Amino acid sequence: MIQEQTPLYRPSIKLFFILFFTTGAILSVLLTFFYQKETRDLTHFIKIQESYGLELRKKRISSIFKDIKADIFFLRDQNELHQYLRTEKKQQLTLMGQEYISLAKSTRMYDQIRYIDKQGMEILRVNFNQGEPLIVPDDQLQSKADRYYYKECVSLKKEEVFVSPFDLNVEHGTVEQPFKPMIRLCTPVFDNHGTERGVLVLNFLGQDILTSLLSIERVSLGQTMLVNNQGYWLRHPDPAYEWGFMFQDKADVSLAIQSPEVWKEIQSSAKGQIGTPEGLYSFNTVLPMLDEAEPSQYASPAKGTIGQYRWHLISFLPQQKIDQKSHAIFMQFLILGAVLFILTAIGSWSMAYAVTKRKIAQNRLKTMAYFDTLTNLPNRRHFFDRLEEAISHGNRYNNTLALMYVDLDGFKNINDSLGHDAGDTLLQHVAYCLRKTCRKSDTIARLGGDEFAILIPEVASQEDIATIAAKIIAILSQPITINNAQAQVGASIGIALFPADGDEVSQLLNNADSAMYLAKSQGKNQYLFFSDTQPPKD
């Protein structure tokens, strides 16, 4: 009987693991490669996004200052102003004041708009007055001859604009509450004869700049900050850090003091990015008094030393946020990897099962073609192939081999008395006994019915073959119990030797068969060499 069919899943497991781990290894390498690429792309994208956000903010600040420049030049060239310079009539000041009020209302950017004469005396001032601009009465006008912005402005050339530091408005020596960030811009006024007659001053409400930074906050992931040239925050996510230079108890609240290495790097370049354990700093430098197209039109508060009047736009992205983005990518790849590995496992198992099933089917067909279905011994066809191969090998190396023909004695009686099932069981028992008696290198075959053949290659002596034949007869002669009944058979064996008894397959088979029939006719349950059946040669 052919070996009992093994469940397909058992032989499929090994192939499954080979396919799964091979495919899984390739998949792991690919996932790792794309994960690292995605992480690098994320870092690159974040850096580009942060830099782009700062560029937008820088352009926004430049746009604000261009608008202020346009306003101050508009007022400088005002017809009413030049009419007043010619006539000094009060009526012209009233008309000028109406223009100032109109500008203050429409822009809502200026806390004060003033014209100051050559001696430093305010001639006309309009206060914003919380959205309801008004002209300040003459008796409340003041001399500004000693103020730094006036002194700086009167020394400028035509078309130049002075920009003051960005600070908080101070009234009577105290910082105004709530805070009112302020930038003063002024330009000299010349009459038609080229004589300097005074200055125009705009007190710009700097909160517009700070608000504009927030209005485009969503462009980048980081926290936007604005720092002056000394490293003090003009804008910070936490208001407690702002305007440290305005208060004695906050003199050390600055980027320059709290992060000196970062500040040093920011000062050394116009723009760039700094990676730290705390996070990513992106920065860009703003020179608010400069027009990139016409840089000569602005002057700094330090007599033209532009480097002393600069702001630094900074975006700080905490490492925790970067890690969150990386973690999100990791989780995406983890989920993707899990799904792919599950699909790989299913695919590998399906393929392993199909391949194993096909292989088992092919082996079963091969077994059916070359092995006896009852005893699982090589069949007649397979045995003849082995015998032919052994003869070819013997011819090549001058080896002696033996062919035994085994026929059971009394097998028909077992079939008749106990039935064919008992006969099949007995044949399986015979196959077991022959395997047990012979060597692994020997070939045992069932030729059909109760006939068996044994091929013994590389025979050392005839005595060795006789010993094997005697053992076979002895073990097969022992009674066995089948279906609670005692059964006993014997064996008649014919033996032919190569090359003495024949050097071809058919000749050896015929001679071994002849010796077997002679042994059976002479009393059964014995072995006989073919050479013993031949008359002695003269």
Side-chain angles (χ1 to χ4, degrees), residues 203-239:
N203 285 15
F204 171 66
L205 293 169
Q207 186 62 41
D208 278 10
I209 290 178
L210 304 180
T211 303
S212 71
L213 299 183
L214 291 174
S215 67
I216 52 177
E217 189 81 32
R218 62 183 179 274
V219 173
S220 60
L221 298 172
Q223 303 167 346
T224 305
M225 296 174 280
L226 184 65
V227 180
N228 67 12
N229 68 313
Q230 295 176 317
Y232 286 98
W233 283 288
L234 306 177
R235 197 268 167 185
H236 190 279
D238 184 353

Side-chain angles (χ1 to χ4, degrees), residues 279-344:
L280 175 68
Y281 286 89
S282 303
F283 63 92
N284 204 328
T285 302
V286 180
L287 301 173
M289 80 291 291
L290 285 183
D291 185 326
E292 294 180 1
E294 302 174 273
S296 62
Q297 290 184 346
Y298 288 85
S300 75
K303 296 183 179 178
T305 308
I306 291 173
Q308 292 186 9
Y309 192 78
R310 66 172 67 188
W311 299 336
H312 300 281
L313 274 168
I314 300 173
S315 176
F316 174 66
L317 183 59
Q319 187 62 41
Q320 183 180 4
K321 280 194 175 181
I322 300 175
D323 292 341
Q324 287 174 352
K325 292 285 184 181
S326 298
H327 181 69
I329 293 177
F330 174 77
M331 291 305 298
Q332 291 174 358
F333 272 86
L334 184 63
I335 294 172
L336 175 62
V339 172
L340 291 177
F341 271 99
I342 290 173
L343 295 176
T344 298

Side-chain angles (χ1 to χ4, degrees), residues 365-389:
L365 290 174
K366 182 177 179 181
T367 299
M368 292 174 65
Y370 289 99
F371 290 85
D372 175 57
T373 57
L374 179 64
T375 61
N376 210 26
L377 293 175
N379 59 17
R380 177 184 290 272
R381 176 183 176 184
H382 195 183
F383 181 76
F384 287 172
D385 289 344
R386 291 278 186 93
L387 179 57
E388 188 172 356
E389 183 180 346

Side-chain angles (χ1 to χ4, degrees), residues 437-458:
T437 305
C438 297
R439 303 169 302 178
K440 289 185 178 181
S441 59
D442 300 336
T443 300
I444 307 166
R446 183 189 177 201
L447 302 184
D450 60 348
E451 293 182 355
F452 295 84
I454 303 172
L455 173 62
I456 303 174
E458 299 183 8

Side-chain angles (χ1 to χ4, degrees), residues 12 16 19 343-357:
S12 300
F16 162 74
L19 291 173
L343 295 176
T344 298
I346 294 173
S348 297
W349 176 254
S350 300
M351 182 176 292
Y353 189 85
V355 170
T356 303
K357 185 177 181 180

Side-chain angles (χ1 to χ4, degrees), residues 400 402 456 458-468 497 529:
T400 298
I456 303 174
E458 299 183 8
V459 174
S461 66
Q462 187 169 316
E463 288 76 14
D464 290 343
I465 302 302
T467 301
I468 296 172
L497 300 177
F529 283 92

